[in-house]
Amino acid sequence: MSTREQNLDRQLIALRAALVPEENLFVDKQSGKDFQRPQYQKMLRRLKKDDLLYIKSIDRLGRNYTEILEQWRVLTKEKGVDIMVLDMPLLDTRRGKDLMGTFLSDIVLQVLSFVAENERESIRQRQAEGIAAAKERGVRFGRPSVEPPDGFPAIVAQWKSGRLTFQEALECSGLSQATFYRRLKELREGRGTKK
């Protein structure tokens, strides 16, 4: 499994190999499912008719079939830019500007957009299945529970009586403020605290 940084590095290497100038590289380190990304919006504002946009793969336009098609439409029809998808040379809007070329490009785009969304759903399903299987094996997710010390009720009593400040009570218990209050609530409810 690759990290986000490795994925970004692979994309930058491919774009540099295509001789895209550094000042024309736009990088957002957010999910491809949301187009309210600062660099993407900056790129959109900068693009003008007949510019050429290189993207590494079709899923860089989004992971949702409808969103990919919409972004493609905005870029090619509204902005009038050409797009070259480096991983799929068939998706190069500079080629075949006639009716047949546009038709073939649209078909390839729709198929690849569908595949991208389908893969996203498959990943989500595999992830859910993996989490469920891990939970069945007893794997716990999230941070481990922090238990209060054995003398927690006494610390609380000293704090309530004013013999300890709140900060001193936190230090004596070794708990964070949020955990202290959570354990205090459990103590009041008579559950889960060592006596």
Side-chain angles (χ1 to χ4, degrees):
M1 186 176 249
S2 65
T3 66
R4 184 176 291 164
E5 288 76 22
Q6 289 170 329
N7 187 27
L8 177 60
D9 287 344
R10 285 195 304 269
Q11 291 177 59
L12 289 173
I13 288 167
L15 291 168
R16 287 178 181 131
L19 304 177
V20 175
E22 290 292 320
E23 66 271 12
N24 291 341
L25 292 175
F26 295 88
V27 178
D28 276 306
K29 293 185 180 183
Q30 293 171 286
S31 170
K33 67 181 181 179
D34 178 9
F35 282 90
Q36 299 309 311
R37 299 171 294 174
Q39 290 294 307
Y40 184 80
Q41 296 302 320
K42 182 179 178 183
M43 179 196 71
L44 276 181
R45 286 190 301 272
R46 227 169 116 191
L47 282 171
K48 56 189 180 303
K49 187 172 176 21
D50 297 326
D51 278 351
L52 175 60
L53 173 63
Y54 286 96
I55 58 173
K56 171 83 166 94
S57 59
I58 193 67
D59 67 355
R60 298 301 88 202
L61 285 179
R63 311 239 170 126
N64 172 291
Y65 176 76
T66 306
E67 190 63 50
I68 291 171
L69 294 178
E70 175 61 15
Q71 292 304 312
W72 188 274
R73 186 194 64 74
V74 165
L75 291 163
T76 59
K77 305 291 191 261
E78 289 181 20
K79 298 292 272 179
V81 302
D82 282 311
I83 301 175
M84 169 60 189
V85 180
L86 297 174
D87 285 353
M88 182 55 61
L90 283 174
L91 283 177
D92 183 347
T93 60
R94 296 171 300 173
R95 293 194 183 126
K97 294 262 186 185
D98 61 352
L99 185 60
M100 181 58 80
T102 302
F103 174 71
L104 290 175
S105 182
D106 285 350
I107 288 174
V108 171
L109 172 65
Q110 292 209 14
V111 168
L112 292 177
S113 299
F114 172 79
V115 168
E117 181 172 358
N118 205 29
E119 177 61 16
R120 185 179 178 92
E121 288 301 317
S122 294
I123 289 169
R124 202 176 337 219
Q125 178 66 29
R126 288 191 303 266
Q127 183 182 37
E129 290 168 358
I131 290 170
K135 283 182 177 179
E136 278 185 31
R137 291 192 316 270
V139 174
R140 293 187 54 175
F141 292 89
R143 294 190 313 189
S145 179
V146 177
E147 295 300 321
D150 287 333
F152 186 66
I155 294 168
V156 170
Q158 288 180 343
W159 168 60
K160 283 184 175 181
S161 70
R163 290 188 303 247
L164 287 178
T165 66
F166 182 67
Q167 191 59 42
E168 289 169 334
L170 288 178
E171 289 170 11
C172 288
S173 67
L175 302 174
S176 70
Q177 183 174 336
T179 304
F180 184 92
Y181 281 124
R182 192 167 35 257
R183 298 299 174 238
L184 179 60
K185 180 180 177 192
E186 291 171 357
L187 181 64
R188 286 179 182 153
E189 294 172 356
R191 59 184 173 90
T193 306
K194 298 175 187 174
K195 305 268 188 229

